[in-house]
Amino acid sequence: MKNRIFLIDDHPVVRQGLATLLNQQSDLEVCGEADDAVGALAAIAVAKPDVALVDLSLKTSSGLELVKDLVIQHPTVRVVVL
């Protein structure tokens, strides 16, 4: 069974690079991506990932606030901060 990873970063090239690297691992798969906190919270509710990989410096929102919201709204999702 693969661990499902959700990427949150405001730079598309970074998300693409991370997705490529993670999807090459036999036990990992990227199940979704977002470039801001609002989009991430909505998409995570649908994608139900195991892990959220979060960039702390997002253009339109605070990555730190997103981490706080994730812990409250999706307590089973583990969070890794970049």
Side-chain angles (χ1 to χ4, degrees):
M1 183 171 186
K2 293 186 177 191
N3 286 302
R4 296 167 47 81
I5 313 295
F6 194 94
L7 304 176
I8 304 110
D9 195 299
D10 54 342
H11 296 93
V13 173
V14 172
R15 288 194 317 270
Q16 181 182 10
L18 287 170
T20 299
L21 289 172
L22 292 169
N23 284 327
Q24 290 176 352
Q25 305 304 309
S26 61
D27 60 341
L28 302 175
E29 73 175 332
V30 174
C31 64
E33 301 178 13
D35 62 0
D36 65 5
V38 173
L41 289 170
I44 285 172
V46 175
K48 307 222 183 295
D50 300 304
V51 178
L53 190 58
V54 181
D55 181 9
L56 276 187
S57 58
L58 301 172
K59 284 183 186 173
T60 61
S61 56
S62 165
L64 186 56
E65 288 301 315
L66 172 58
V67 170
K68 291 177 187 178
D69 290 341
L70 282 171
V71 169
I72 293 167
Q73 294 180 31
H74 303 284
T76 61
V77 176
R78 291 167 284 186
V79 177
V80 177
V81 176
L82 294 175

